[in-house]
Amino acid sequence: MKKYRVLIVEDERRIARFLQMELEHEGMNTAIEDNGRRAYERIVQENYDLVLLDVMLPDMDGFTICRKVRELSQVPIIMLTAKDDIDDKVQGLDIGADDYITKPFATPELLARMRVVLRRQESQREAKGAQEEILSVKNLTMYPARHEVQVDGAPVELTKKEYDLLEYLLRNKRNVLTRDQILSNVWDYDYMGDTNVVDVYIRYLRQKLDDRFQEKYIHTMRGVGYVIKD
Ligand code: CA
């Protein structure tokens, strides 16, 4: 399953933390932003699958953020607001929000609405017939949309972590990645273990790829980290 990346834009820390816990519990990746202007910058620069957007925020309000984001991006946005004023709802949808939910809300309802918006986004993406993304090195091909890896056209079974690690290496092909970079991008950023886990998983990947197919995909840069290259 795809791990959705969700930005929670909310300046009430308690609510933001609560949402974060609930969404992470659902298997999503989350980040919190409490400032309107920074939120706008992050939404257009970083690649989120969905944004939960509070209306009343310091520096820039949620309606303004939504309107400005829509000039550049179709990222799904669900507005959150304390006010249940019907005018707000109309305004939220007018400016291009995908949905709108009033505080206080029940978590199952929010999750249900998020799923609707995410599904709609995916089917639109499919309908567009967008070229399927392909990542590759040598005779190895990854299809992120299908979560599949093939070598010479034959499928390779990987665990979730092995897949995530390989995807991160492929997305940074030819760039040497340090253990810390790998750890913070493939494991949760607050993972408390040591970086040995990276070496362990690199070894697993090498067993399933390099050893099995007699190819050198993953190179060790001694004292630095790892790189995947043709
Ligand atoms: Ca607020």
Side-chain angles (χ1 to χ4, degrees):
M1 264 307 284
K2 180 174 174 186
K3 195 159 189 181
Y4 290 114
R5 299 185 68 220
V6 179
L7 182 65
I8 300 163
V9 184
E10 170 61 83
D11 59 330
E12 281 172 73
R13 191 158 174 75
R14 197 175 48 82
I15 298 176
R17 288 291 304 170
F18 171 76
L19 284 170
Q20 181 165 51
M21 267 171 39
E22 294 285 343
L23 299 185
E24 299 257 333
H25 182 71
E26 291 294 308
M28 299 180 191
N29 255 324
T30 60
I32 294 175
E33 177 53 62
D34 61 9
N35 175 277
R37 195 165 298 278
R38 281 198 303 270
Y40 168 71
E41 283 163 11
R42 291 179 69 171
I43 295 166
V44 296
Q45 282 167 16
E46 299 172 18
N47 197 16
Y48 293 102
D49 296 303
L50 191 149
V51 178
L52 295 180
L53 183 56
D54 185 29
V55 174
M56 305 298 280
L57 292 162
D59 284 357
M60 191 186 289
D61 70 83
F63 291 130
T64 307
I65 294 171
C66 188
R67 203 177 56 242
K68 281 169 61 82
V69 165
R70 279 293 173 262
E71 292 167 9
L72 298 167
S73 160
Q74 288 304 314
V75 60
I77 295 176
I78 297 180
M79 309 283 306
L80 311 171
T81 182
K83 293 184 276 178
D84 56 355
D85 187 335
I86 187 71
D87 289 344
D88 270 4
K89 180 156 189 162
V90 169
Q91 189 180 5
L93 297 171
D94 265 2
I95 56 174
D98 295 86
D99 204 351
Y100 179 99
I101 193 164
T102 53
K103 294 191 257 185
F105 47 81
T107 308
E109 189 189 353
L110 175 65
L111 292 172
R113 288 178 181 225
M114 288 175 71
R115 279 192 288 270
V116 168
V117 168
L118 287 166
R119 260 203 308 274
R120 192 191 301 146
Q121 176 80 359
E122 300 224 319
S123 60
Q124 277 171 2
R125 212 174 276 156
E126 282 163 21
K128 269 189 206 146
Q131 276 287 337
E132 184 175 19
E133 184 187 21
I134 293 175
L135 304 172
S136 69
V137 60
K138 296 184 176 177
N139 58 345
L140 181 152
T141 314
M142 174 179 276
Y143 303 90
R146 287 187 261 152
H147 232 74
E148 272 180 30
V149 177
Q150 298 179 357
V151 171
D152 281 334
V156 179
E157 290 295 325
L158 298 177
T159 66
K160 170 148 176 31
K161 271 293 171 244
E162 290 164 356
Y163 178 95
D164 291 347
L165 173 58
L166 180 61
E167 180 175 3
Y168 183 59
L169 290 167
L170 284 169
R171 288 195 184 280
N172 294 281
K173 191 163 130 181
R174 290 187 295 274
N175 294 330
V176 180
L177 301 164
T178 66
R179 288 173 179 78
D180 282 334
Q181 278 177 310
I182 294 171
L183 199 58
S184 60
N185 282 278
V186 177
W187 280 263
D188 287 337
Y189 56 89
D190 52 359
Y191 180 81
M192 295 303 279
D194 62 71
T195 55
N196 282 344
V197 68
V198 174
D199 302 316
V200 170
Y201 273 84
I202 289 282
R203 200 155 64 231
Y204 292 159
L205 268 187
R206 279 182 167 151
Q207 283 164 5
K208 291 189 175 178
L209 301 172
D210 301 46
D211 297 354
R212 180 172 160 205
F213 297 103
Q214 309 282 308
E215 272 283 4
K216 193 154 181 60
Y217 302 102
I218 303 169
H219 301 259
T220 304
M221 304 302 278
R222 203 166 290 280
V224 188
Y226 297 102
V227 58
I228 205 163
K229 57 187 181 184
D230 287 311

